[in-house]
Structure formats: C-alpha cells, structure tokens
Amino acid sequence: SLRRPFMYPLIGPAGRSLTRMGHPHDQESHKHHYSFWVSHNDVNGVDFWSESGGGTSVHKKILAFEDGEEGCYTLTENDWVDSLQNILLHETRRISIYPRADRQWLLVLDLDFSPDKGDVTFGDSSFGLVGVRMAKPIGVNDGGGLIRNSEGLIDEEAIFHQRAKWVDYSGRITNNAIEGIALFDHPKNPNFPSPFHVRNDGWMGACLSHQAPRLLKPGETLHLRYGLFIHSQVAPVNEIGEQWQSFSELP
C-alpha cells in the first residue's frame, strides 16, 4: 500500500520537468504538497490530506490502459482505508491525457467513489478533493507569478474560497520560459462551480465540501471530473475559457 499513490510529476509544454514541488517555506508540515494529488482531510473524521493523518489510499489494481493517437488513459481501482485498515471508500480513477496545440496538453481526472458499508461523509473542509502544487518560481510570492479565475479575479486576496469554473496559475519556470496550469471544475460535479482554495505561495485546489458536508450512502456513487490544462506563456483568458468549454463537452 502507498499513501496517496497518484502524485504526478508535471511536465511542461516545452518538455521541462515541473517537479520542483513542495511548499517553498514549510517542507515538514506540507510534505503532501508533492505535485498533483487527490485526497480529503475529513472522511468520516479521518484525515487523508496530511502525511500523518491516518488515512491512506491503497492502490489495488490497474483495470485498463490505452495509448492511442488521440490520447491515452489508465483506469485504476483503489481503496481509502483508516489507520485500522477499515475500508471507508472504494474508488475507481481514470486519468486521460489529450494533446493540445503547441505541445500543450489536457489531463482529465474521473473519480467514482462508493462506500464500503455504512454512510461516508466528506466533512466541512476546503482541503480536498484535488490539489495542485506549483513549482516555486511560479508562485506569486516567490516568483512573481499570477493567479486568475474564470470570474476575472486575480491572486489569493480576491480568489480565495470564491466559486469559479476554473483557476489558472502561471509564472516563469526558467529564465526563458513562462508556463502555467489551469485547474478545471466540471459542470456535472455536484457543487459546481466549486470554491477554490488558492495561496500566493504556489498552490490551488478545488473544494468538494467547503462549508457544506457531503453525505454518501451505501449503494450510491459519487462521480467527479476535474481537468488540468498545462500551457505555455500566460495563456489569454479567452483561450483558457475555450479549453474549459472543450473539457466540459468531453463524453
């Protein structure tokens, strides 16, 4: 078993690795800020968010994978278990990659959750379900980066906990290159448009249950879809909007 086994090193449009991840000023208590992760800090009171919270995502098996001309995907099965190895949630996760123009690309994350036995509650929290840690030089504080959202707001002070279709974080990755990542919420997610938790120190996340716990009963399945648009330059707002629209219409 592995704690949150799907934390992905992100590769920029020009092929440069964006793996210099982690909180730039607090590596110890923010060890979980690796890159791009799926977790929540209150699932029936169990913390799956932090490294020492007691909750663990256990990878069970790969169900399917495909590498084609139009894109690729993997389909996996995982269990969310507490410190006593009790299974709280069964999860099916599909990660699809679609190439875009100019070596840019789109990652689509599909998640299906179902309780193992009893009720499962995602507690009132802004930590979960998807987080993205940017490389240090992209951060607003450390590199002069820029955060924008679909509602025309800019940086943490304006965007923090505000609902939006998407949030974009862009900045200088090298002396010669500016790149960024836009985190997309999907219209069919149950709390769309989601509140976004963002910080000028270089991270953003889409909140599933901020100010409203979400109950999942036995026999029910919670389906969620998020996207990451990895792009070059400070992409124009209309371009990000077009990419979000394309993402929202995917089957």
Side-chain angles (χ1 to χ4, degrees), residues 61-93:
K61 58 184 175 181
I62 297 174
L63 300 173
F65 63 91
E66 182 175 316
D67 186 7
E69 294 294 328
E70 301 299 323
C72 58
Y73 77 89
T74 60
L75 183 67
T76 61
E77 187 176 295
N78 316 295
D79 284 337
W80 290 38
V81 303
D82 65 15
S83 59
L84 299 178
Q85 299 304 301
N86 297 309
I87 300 173
L88 302 182
L89 285 170
H90 299 290
E91 177 207 335
T92 302
R93 183 179 308 193

PDB file of all heavy atoms in Angstrom, residues 61-93:
ATOM      1  N   LYS A  61      -5.460  -2.297  -8.175  1.00  0.00           N
ATOM      2  CA  LYS A  61      -5.077  -2.884  -9.453  1.00  0.00           C
ATOM      3  C   LYS A  61      -5.345  -1.911 -10.598  1.00  0.00           C
ATOM      4  O   LYS A  61      -6.120  -0.956 -10.464  1.00  0.00           O
ATOM      5  CB  LYS A  61      -5.827  -4.181  -9.711  1.00  0.00           C
ATOM      6  CG  LYS A  61      -7.338  -4.055  -9.721  1.00  0.00           C
ATOM      7  CD  LYS A  61      -7.990  -5.434  -9.878  1.00  0.00           C
ATOM      8  CE  LYS A  61      -9.502  -5.359  -9.760  1.00  0.00           C
ATOM      9  NZ  LYS A  61     -10.139  -6.694  -9.885  1.00  0.00           N
ATOM     10  N   ILE A  62      -4.688  -2.182 -11.697  1.00  0.00           N
ATOM     11  CA  ILE A  62      -4.945  -1.470 -12.956  1.00  0.00           C
ATOM     12  C   ILE A  62      -6.011  -2.246 -13.712  1.00  0.00           C
ATOM     13  O   ILE A  62      -5.855  -3.436 -13.999  1.00  0.00           O
ATOM     14  CB  ILE A  62      -3.663  -1.341 -13.796  1.00  0.00           C
ATOM     15  CG1 ILE A  62      -2.635  -0.496 -13.042  1.00  0.00           C
ATOM     16  CG2 ILE A  62      -3.967  -0.734 -15.163  1.00  0.00           C
ATOM     17  CD1 ILE A  62      -1.284  -0.423 -13.724  1.00  0.00           C
ATOM     18  N   LEU A  63      -7.104  -1.580 -14.022  1.00  0.00           N
ATOM     19  CA  LEU A  63      -8.211  -2.238 -14.709  1.00  0.00           C
ATOM     20  C   LEU A  63      -8.065  -2.190 -16.224  1.00  0.00           C
ATOM     21  O   LEU A  63      -8.484  -3.116 -16.923  1.00  0.00           O
ATOM     22  CB  LEU A  63      -9.533  -1.574 -14.302  1.00  0.00           C
ATOM     23  CG  LEU A  63      -9.876  -1.623 -12.818  1.00  0.00           C
ATOM     24  CD1 LEU A  63     -11.124  -0.786 -12.544  1.00  0.00           C
ATOM     25  CD2 LEU A  63     -10.084  -3.060 -12.355  1.00  0.00           C
ATOM     26  N   ALA A  64      -7.513  -1.090 -16.736  1.00  0.00           N
ATOM     27  CA  ALA A  64      -7.357  -0.934 -18.186  1.00  0.00           C
ATOM     28  C   ALA A  64      -6.399   0.218 -18.462  1.00  0.00           C
ATOM     29  O   ALA A  64      -6.215   1.100 -17.630  1.00  0.00           O
ATOM     30  CB  ALA A  64      -8.710  -0.664 -18.858  1.00  0.00           C
ATOM     31  N   PHE A  65      -5.800   0.178 -19.646  1.00  0.00           N
ATOM     32  CA  PHE A  65      -4.986   1.313 -20.098  1.00  0.00           C
ATOM     33  C   PHE A  65      -4.915   1.291 -21.615  1.00  0.00           C
ATOM     34  O   PHE A  65      -5.096   0.242 -22.246  1.00  0.00           O
ATOM     35  CB  PHE A  65      -3.588   1.291 -19.486  1.00  0.00           C
ATOM     36  CG  PHE A  65      -2.743   0.102 -19.865  1.00  0.00           C
ATOM     37  CD1 PHE A  65      -1.900   0.133 -20.972  1.00  0.00           C
ATOM     38  CD2 PHE A  65      -2.798  -1.045 -19.088  1.00  0.00           C
ATOM     39  CE1 PHE A  65      -1.135  -0.965 -21.301  1.00  0.00           C
ATOM     40  CE2 PHE A  65      -2.027  -2.163 -19.421  1.00  0.00           C
ATOM     41  CZ  PHE A  65      -1.185  -2.115 -20.528  1.00  0.00           C
ATOM     42  N   GLU A  66      -4.678   2.449 -22.189  1.00  0.00           N
ATOM     43  CA  GLU A  66      -4.615   2.549 -23.644  1.00  0.00           C
ATOM     44  C   GLU A  66      -3.734   3.724 -24.036  1.00  0.00           C
ATOM     45  O   GLU A  66      -3.771   4.784 -23.401  1.00  0.00           O
ATOM     46  CB  GLU A  66      -6.008   2.744 -24.228  1.00  0.00           C
ATOM     47  CG  GLU A  66      -6.044   2.801 -25.746  1.00  0.00           C
ATOM     48  CD  GLU A  66      -7.455   2.885 -26.294  1.00  0.00           C
ATOM     49  OE1 GLU A  66      -8.323   2.132 -25.798  1.00  0.00           O
ATOM     50  OE2 GLU A  66      -7.695   3.701 -27.198  1.00  0.00           O
ATOM     51  N   ASP A  67      -2.934   3.536 -25.065  1.00  0.00           N
ATOM     52  CA  ASP A  67      -2.084   4.592 -25.599  1.00  0.00           C
ATOM     53  C   ASP A  67      -2.394   4.714 -27.085  1.00  0.00           C
ATOM     54  O   ASP A  67      -2.037   3.843 -27.872  1.00  0.00           O
ATOM     55  CB  ASP A  67      -0.609   4.237 -25.381  1.00  0.00           C
ATOM     56  CG  ASP A  67       0.322   5.357 -25.785  1.00  0.00           C
ATOM     57  OD1 ASP A  67      -0.171   6.454 -26.113  1.00  0.00           O
ATOM     58  OD2 ASP A  67       1.545   5.148 -25.760  1.00  0.00           O
ATOM     59  N   GLY A  68      -3.120   5.775 -27.459  1.00  0.00           N
ATOM     60  CA  GLY A  68      -3.567   5.900 -28.843  1.00  0.00           C
ATOM     61  C   GLY A  68      -3.131   7.197 -29.486  1.00  0.00           C
ATOM     62  O   GLY A  68      -2.457   8.036 -28.880  1.00  0.00           O
ATOM     63  N   GLU A  69      -3.535   7.382 -30.717  1.00  0.00           N
ATOM     64  CA  GLU A  69      -3.161   8.569 -31.479  1.00  0.00           C
ATOM     65  C   GLU A  69      -3.812   9.833 -30.929  1.00  0.00           C
ATOM     66  O   GLU A  69      -3.238  10.910 -30.957  1.00  0.00           O
ATOM     67  CB  GLU A  69      -3.552   8.388 -32.954  1.00  0.00           C
ATOM     68  CG  GLU A  69      -2.786   7.308 -33.678  1.00  0.00           C
ATOM     69  CD  GLU A  69      -1.319   7.632 -33.814  1.00  0.00           C
ATOM     70  OE1 GLU A  69      -0.987   8.834 -33.919  1.00  0.00           O
ATOM     71  OE2 GLU A  69      -0.502   6.690 -33.808  1.00  0.00           O
ATOM     72  N   GLU A  70      -5.036   9.713 -30.410  1.00  0.00           N
ATOM     73  CA  GLU A  70      -5.781  10.878 -29.941  1.00  0.00           C
ATOM     74  C   GLU A  70      -5.601  11.146 -28.457  1.00  0.00           C
ATOM     75  O   GLU A  70      -6.076  12.158 -27.937  1.00  0.00           O
ATOM     76  CB  GLU A  70      -7.272  10.675 -30.244  1.00  0.00           C
ATOM     77  CG  GLU A  70      -7.586  10.471 -31.713  1.00  0.00           C
ATOM     78  CD  GLU A  70      -7.180  11.658 -32.559  1.00  0.00           C
ATOM     79  OE1 GLU A  70      -7.318  12.808 -32.077  1.00  0.00           O
ATOM     80  OE2 GLU A  70      -6.723  11.443 -33.696  1.00  0.00           O
ATOM     81  N   GLY A  71      -4.925  10.240 -27.757  1.00  0.00           N
ATOM     82  CA  GLY A  71      -4.725  10.406 -26.336  1.00  0.00           C
ATOM     83  C   GLY A  71      -4.461   9.069 -25.671  1.00  0.00           C
ATOM     84  O   GLY A  71      -4.302   8.041 -26.339  1.00  0.00           O
ATOM     85  N   CYS A  72      -4.381   9.078 -24.349  1.00  0.00           N
ATOM     86  CA  CYS A  72      -4.121   7.854 -23.613  1.00  0.00           C
ATOM     87  C   CYS A  72      -4.842   7.920 -22.271  1.00  0.00           C
ATOM     88  O   CYS A  72      -5.273   8.986 -21.827  1.00  0.00           O
ATOM     89  CB  CYS A  72      -2.621   7.650 -23.413  1.00  0.00           C
ATOM     90  SG  CYS A  72      -1.801   9.001 -22.531  1.00  0.00           S
ATOM     91  N   TYR A  73      -4.982   6.762 -21.621  1.00  0.00           N
ATOM     92  CA  TYR A  73      -5.618   6.755 -20.318  1.00  0.00           C
ATOM     93  C   TYR A  73      -5.175   5.536 -19.522  1.00  0.00           C
ATOM     94  O   TYR A  73      -4.710   4.529 -20.063  1.00  0.00           O
ATOM     95  CB  TYR A  73      -7.144   6.776 -20.431  1.00  0.00           C
ATOM     96  CG  TYR A  73      -7.779   5.453 -20.795  1.00  0.00           C
ATOM     97  CD1 TYR A  73      -8.143   4.545 -19.802  1.00  0.00           C
ATOM     98  CD2 TYR A  73      -8.020   5.103 -22.121  1.00  0.00           C
ATOM     99  CE1 TYR A  73      -8.723   3.339 -20.110  1.00  0.00           C
ATOM    100  CE2 TYR A  73      -8.603   3.901 -22.455  1.00  0.00           C
ATOM    101  CZ  TYR A  73      -8.954   3.012 -21.435  1.00  0.00           C
ATOM    102  OH  TYR A  73      -9.523   1.811 -21.762  1.00  0.00           O
ATOM    103  N   THR A  74      -5.323   5.639 -18.192  1.00  0.00           N
ATOM    104  CA  THR A  74      -5.221   4.488 -17.298  1.00  0.00           C
ATOM    105  C   THR A  74      -6.466   4.474 -16.418  1.00  0.00           C
ATOM    106  O   THR A  74      -6.990   5.525 -16.054  1.00  0.00           O
ATOM    107  CB  THR A  74      -3.976   4.547 -16.396  1.00  0.00           C
ATOM    108  OG1 THR A  74      -4.029   5.733 -15.590  1.00  0.00           O
ATOM    109  CG2 THR A  74      -2.706   4.561 -17.225  1.00  0.00           C
ATOM    110  N   LEU A  75      -6.925   3.276 -16.080  1.00  0.00           N
ATOM    111  CA  LEU A  75      -8.083   3.097 -15.216  1.00  0.00           C
ATOM    112  C   LEU A  75      -7.650   2.217 -14.052  1.00  0.00           C
ATOM    113  O   LEU A  75      -7.188   1.088 -14.257  1.00  0.00           O
ATOM    114  CB  LEU A  75      -9.230   2.440 -15.980  1.00  0.00           C
ATOM    115  CG  LEU A  75     -10.541   2.242 -15.229  1.00  0.00           C
ATOM    116  CD1 LEU A  75     -11.182   3.591 -14.904  1.00  0.00           C
ATOM    117  CD2 LEU A  75     -11.514   1.397 -16.061  1.00  0.00           C
ATOM    118  N   THR A  76      -7.768   2.731 -12.827  1.00  0.00           N
ATOM    119  CA  THR A  76      -7.285   2.009 -11.662  1.00  0.00           C
ATOM    120  C   THR A  76      -8.366   1.886 -10.600  1.00  0.00           C
ATOM    121  O   THR A  76      -9.334   2.638 -10.591  1.00  0.00           O
ATOM    122  CB  THR A  76      -6.060   2.711 -11.041  1.00  0.00           C
ATOM    123  OG1 THR A  76      -6.435   4.025 -10.621  1.00  0.00           O
ATOM    124  CG2 THR A  76      -4.920   2.795 -12.036  1.00  0.00           C
ATOM    125  N   GLU A  77      -8.151   0.947  -9.701  1.00  0.00           N
ATOM    126  CA  GLU A  77      -9.059   0.717  -8.580  1.00  0.00           C
ATOM    127  C   GLU A  77      -8.287   0.896  -7.280  1.00  0.00           C
ATOM    128  O   GLU A  77      -7.182   0.350  -7.118  1.00  0.00           O
ATOM    129  CB  GLU A  77      -9.627  -0.704  -8.676  1.00  0.00           C
ATOM    130  CG  GLU A  77     -10.706  -1.036  -7.672  1.00  0.00           C
ATOM    131  CD  GLU A  77     -11.266  -2.427  -7.910  1.00  0.00           C
ATOM    132  OE1 GLU A  77     -11.881  -2.643  -8.979  1.00  0.00           O
ATOM    133  OE2 GLU A  77     -11.062  -3.288  -7.028  1.00  0.00           O
ATOM    134  N   ASN A  78      -8.867   1.667  -6.348  1.00  0.00           N
ATOM    135  CA  ASN A  78      -8.193   1.980  -5.095  1.00  0.00           C
ATOM    136  C   ASN A  78      -9.187   1.886  -3.942  1.00  0.00           C
ATOM    137  O   ASN A  78     -10.402   2.015  -4.135  1.00  0.00           O
ATOM    138  CB  ASN A  78      -7.608   3.403  -5.134  1.00  0.00           C
ATOM    139  CG  ASN A  78      -6.914   3.698  -6.447  1.00  0.00           C
ATOM    140  OD1 ASN A  78      -5.916   3.088  -6.772  1.00  0.00           O
ATOM    141  ND2 ASN A  78      -7.465   4.633  -7.209  1.00  0.00           N
ATOM    142  N   ASP A  79      -8.660   1.696  -2.722  1.00  0.00           N
ATOM    143  CA  ASP A  79      -9.465   1.759  -1.513  1.00  0.00           C
ATOM    144  C   ASP A  79      -8.923   2.849  -0.606  1.00  0.00           C
ATOM    145  O   ASP A  79      -7.699   3.054  -0.517  1.00  0.00           O
ATOM    146  CB  ASP A  79      -9.426   0.426  -0.752  1.00  0.00           C
ATOM    147  CG  ASP A  79     -10.284  -0.639  -1.387  1.00  0.00           C
ATOM    148  OD1 ASP A  79     -11.229  -0.291  -2.130  1.00  0.00           O
ATOM    149  OD2 ASP A  79     -10.014  -1.833  -1.149  1.00  0.00           O
ATOM    150  N   TRP A  80      -9.827   3.558   0.067  1.00  0.00           N
ATOM    151  CA  TRP A  80      -9.449   4.536   1.084  1.00  0.00           C
ATOM    152  C   TRP A  80      -9.672   3.886   2.438  1.00  0.00           C
ATOM    153  O   TRP A  80     -10.814   3.521   2.781  1.00  0.00           O
ATOM    154  CB  TRP A  80     -10.290   5.801   0.950  1.00  0.00           C
ATOM    155  CG  TRP A  80      -9.976   6.623  -0.276  1.00  0.00           C
ATOM    156  CD1 TRP A  80      -9.659   6.172  -1.517  1.00  0.00           C
ATOM    157  CD2 TRP A  80      -9.962   8.050  -0.343  1.00  0.00           C
ATOM    158  NE1 TRP A  80      -9.449   7.224  -2.379  1.00  0.00           N
ATOM    159  CE2 TRP A  80      -9.630   8.400  -1.683  1.00  0.00           C
ATOM    160  CE3 TRP A  80     -10.213   9.067   0.573  1.00  0.00           C
ATOM    161  CZ2 TRP A  80      -9.534   9.724  -2.114  1.00  0.00           C
ATOM    162  CZ3 TRP A  80     -10.117  10.390   0.149  1.00  0.00           C
ATOM    163  CH2 TRP A  80      -9.770  10.705  -1.183  1.00  0.00           C
ATOM    164  N   VAL A  81      -8.595   3.711   3.214  1.00  0.00           N
ATOM    165  CA  VAL A  81      -8.659   2.961   4.463  1.00  0.00           C
ATOM    166  C   VAL A  81      -8.166   3.820   5.623  1.00  0.00           C
ATOM    167  O   VAL A  81      -7.354   4.730   5.449  1.00  0.00           O
ATOM    168  CB  VAL A  81      -7.845   1.657   4.383  1.00  0.00           C
ATOM    169  CG1 VAL A  81      -8.318   0.789   3.224  1.00  0.00           C
ATOM    170  CG2 VAL A  81      -6.363   1.952   4.236  1.00  0.00           C
ATOM    171  N   ASP A  82      -8.661   3.531   6.827  1.00  0.00           N
ATOM    172  CA  ASP A  82      -8.206   4.260   8.005  1.00  0.00           C
ATOM    173  C   ASP A  82      -7.001   3.562   8.620  1.00  0.00           C
ATOM    174  O   ASP A  82      -6.495   2.559   8.088  1.00  0.00           O
ATOM    175  CB  ASP A  82      -9.353   4.446   9.003  1.00  0.00           C
ATOM    176  CG  ASP A  82      -9.872   3.130   9.584  1.00  0.00           C
ATOM    177  OD1 ASP A  82      -9.190   2.096   9.462  1.00  0.00           O
ATOM    178  OD2 ASP A  82     -10.970   3.155  10.161  1.00  0.00           O
ATOM    179  N   SER A  83      -6.543   4.048   9.773  1.00  0.00           N
ATOM    180  CA  SER A  83      -5.332   3.513  10.398  1.00  0.00           C
ATOM    181  C   SER A  83      -5.499   2.078  10.896  1.00  0.00           C
ATOM    182  O   SER A  83      -4.516   1.383  11.134  1.00  0.00           O
ATOM    183  CB  SER A  83      -4.904   4.415  11.560  1.00  0.00           C
ATOM    184  OG  SER A  83      -5.934   4.499  12.539  1.00  0.00           O
ATOM    185  N   LEU A  84      -6.755   1.631  11.055  1.00  0.00           N
ATOM    186  CA  LEU A  84      -7.032   0.247  11.475  1.00  0.00           C
ATOM    187  C   LEU A  84      -7.304  -0.657  10.282  1.00  0.00           C
ATOM    188  O   LEU A  84      -7.741  -1.796  10.442  1.00  0.00           O
ATOM    189  CB  LEU A  84      -8.221   0.228  12.433  1.00  0.00           C
ATOM    190  CG  LEU A  84      -8.039   1.013  13.741  1.00  0.00           C
ATOM    191  CD1 LEU A  84      -9.317   0.951  14.572  1.00  0.00           C
ATOM    192  CD2 LEU A  84      -6.846   0.488  14.532  1.00  0.00           C
ATOM    193  N   GLN A  85      -7.075  -0.142   9.068  1.00  0.00           N
ATOM    194  CA  GLN A  85      -7.275  -0.876   7.819  1.00  0.00           C
ATOM    195  C   GLN A  85      -8.735  -1.142   7.514  1.00  0.00           C
ATOM    196  O   GLN A  85      -9.067  -2.058   6.745  1.00  0.00           O
ATOM    197  CB  GLN A  85      -6.482  -2.190   7.811  1.00  0.00           C
ATOM    198  CG  GLN A  85      -4.975  -2.003   7.944  1.00  0.00           C
ATOM    199  CD  GLN A  85      -4.415  -1.083   6.859  1.00  0.00           C
ATOM    200  OE1 GLN A  85      -4.547  -1.376   5.675  1.00  0.00           O
ATOM    201  NE2 GLN A  85      -3.796   0.019   7.264  1.00  0.00           N
ATOM    202  N   ASN A  86      -9.625  -0.352   8.112  1.00  0.00           N
ATOM    203  CA  ASN A  86     -11.032  -0.415   7.725  1.00  0.00           C
ATOM    204  C   ASN A  86     -11.227   0.342   6.423  1.00  0.00           C
ATOM    205  O   ASN A  86     -10.765   1.483   6.278  1.00  0.00           O
ATOM    206  CB  ASN A  86     -11.909   0.224   8.808  1.00  0.00           C
ATOM    207  CG  ASN A  86     -11.829  -0.507  10.130  1.00  0.00           C
ATOM    208  OD1 ASN A  86     -12.000  -1.717  10.182  1.00  0.00           O
ATOM    209  ND2 ASN A  86     -11.549   0.235  11.201  1.00  0.00           N
ATOM    210  N   ILE A  87     -11.905  -0.266   5.467  1.00  0.00           N
ATOM    211  CA  ILE A  87     -12.162   0.382   4.179  1.00  0.00           C
ATOM    212  C   ILE A  87     -13.344   1.327   4.329  1.00  0.00           C
ATOM    213  O   ILE A  87     -14.438   0.915   4.734  1.00  0.00           O
ATOM    214  CB  ILE A  87     -12.445  -0.654   3.079  1.00  0.00           C
ATOM    215  CG1 ILE A  87     -11.251  -1.589   2.890  1.00  0.00           C
ATOM    216  CG2 ILE A  87     -12.781   0.051   1.763  1.00  0.00           C
ATOM    217  CD1 ILE A  87     -11.519  -2.735   1.941  1.00  0.00           C
ATOM    218  N   LEU A  88     -13.137   2.597   4.004  1.00  0.00           N
ATOM    219  CA  LEU A  88     -14.220   3.573   4.033  1.00  0.00           C
ATOM    220  C   LEU A  88     -14.830   3.759   2.653  1.00  0.00           C
ATOM    221  O   LEU A  88     -16.048   3.845   2.517  1.00  0.00           O
ATOM    222  CB  LEU A  88     -13.706   4.923   4.550  1.00  0.00           C
ATOM    223  CG  LEU A  88     -13.066   4.933   5.939  1.00  0.00           C
ATOM    224  CD1 LEU A  88     -12.664   6.352   6.316  1.00  0.00           C
ATOM    225  CD2 LEU A  88     -13.996   4.346   6.973  1.00  0.00           C
ATOM    226  N   LEU A  89     -13.984   3.834   1.648  1.00  0.00           N
ATOM    227  CA  LEU A  89     -14.429   4.128   0.288  1.00  0.00           C
ATOM    228  C   LEU A  89     -13.742   3.219  -0.716  1.00  0.00           C
ATOM    229  O   LEU A  89     -12.556   2.891  -0.577  1.00  0.00           O
ATOM    230  CB  LEU A  89     -14.087   5.575  -0.084  1.00  0.00           C
ATOM    231  CG  LEU A  89     -14.923   6.710   0.499  1.00  0.00           C
ATOM    232  CD1 LEU A  89     -14.244   8.042   0.200  1.00  0.00           C
ATOM    233  CD2 LEU A  89     -16.334   6.695  -0.072  1.00  0.00           C
ATOM    234  N   HIS A  90     -14.501   2.847  -1.735  1.00  0.00           N
ATOM    235  CA  HIS A  90     -13.931   2.245  -2.936  1.00  0.00           C
ATOM    236  C   HIS A  90     -13.862   3.343  -3.999  1.00  0.00           C
ATOM    237  O   HIS A  90     -14.795   4.127  -4.160  1.00  0.00           O
ATOM    238  CB  HIS A  90     -14.797   1.094  -3.441  1.00  0.00           C
ATOM    239  CG  HIS A  90     -14.944  -0.023  -2.461  1.00  0.00           C
ATOM    240  ND1 HIS A  90     -13.903  -0.861  -2.127  1.00  0.00           N
ATOM    241  CD2 HIS A  90     -16.019  -0.443  -1.731  1.00  0.00           C
ATOM    242  CE1 HIS A  90     -14.324  -1.746  -1.240  1.00  0.00           C
ATOM    243  NE2 HIS A  90     -15.602  -1.517  -0.980  1.00  0.00           N
ATOM    244  N   GLU A  91     -12.766   3.380  -4.701  1.00  0.00           N
ATOM    245  CA  GLU A  91     -12.567   4.425  -5.716  1.00  0.00           C
ATOM    246  C   GLU A  91     -12.128   3.808  -7.042  1.00  0.00           C
ATOM    247  O   GLU A  91     -11.260   2.922  -7.066  1.00  0.00           O
ATOM    248  CB  GLU A  91     -11.497   5.424  -5.266  1.00  0.00           C
ATOM    249  CG  GLU A  91     -11.183   6.495  -6.298  1.00  0.00           C
ATOM    250  CD  GLU A  91      -9.778   7.046  -6.164  1.00  0.00           C
ATOM    251  OE1 GLU A  91      -9.196   6.984  -5.069  1.00  0.00           O
ATOM    252  OE2 GLU A  91      -9.240   7.531  -7.187  1.00  0.00           O
ATOM    253  N   THR A  92     -12.716   4.272  -8.121  1.00  0.00           N
ATOM    254  CA  THR A  92     -12.235   3.977  -9.466  1.00  0.00           C
ATOM    255  C   THR A  92     -11.752   5.289 -10.061  1.00  0.00           C
ATOM    256  O   THR A  92     -12.469   6.293 -10.026  1.00  0.00           O
ATOM    257  CB  THR A  92     -13.334   3.361 -10.342  1.00  0.00           C
ATOM    258  OG1 THR A  92     -13.822   2.173  -9.723  1.00  0.00           O
ATOM    259  CG2 THR A  92     -12.793   3.028 -11.723  1.00  0.00           C
ATOM    260  N   ARG A  93     -10.539   5.271 -10.593  1.00  0.00           N
ATOM    261  CA  ARG A  93      -9.918   6.505 -11.078  1.00  0.00           C
ATOM    262  C   ARG A  93      -9.436   6.326 -12.512  1.00  0.00           C
ATOM    263  O   ARG A  93      -8.684   5.409 -12.827  1.00  0.00           O
ATOM    264  CB  ARG A  93      -8.728   6.863 -10.188  1.00  0.00           C
ATOM    265  CG  ARG A  93      -8.044   8.160 -10.545  1.00  0.00           C
ATOM    266  CD  ARG A  93      -6.880   8.465  -9.608  1.00  0.00           C
ATOM    267  NE  ARG A  93      -7.259   8.407  -8.191  1.00  0.00           N
ATOM    268  CZ  ARG A  93      -6.499   8.877  -7.204  1.00  0.00           C
ATOM    269  NH1 ARG A  93      -5.332   9.424  -7.480  1.00  0.00           N
ATOM    270  NH2 ARG A  93      -6.902   8.772  -5.946  1.00  0.00           N
TER     271      ARG A  93
END
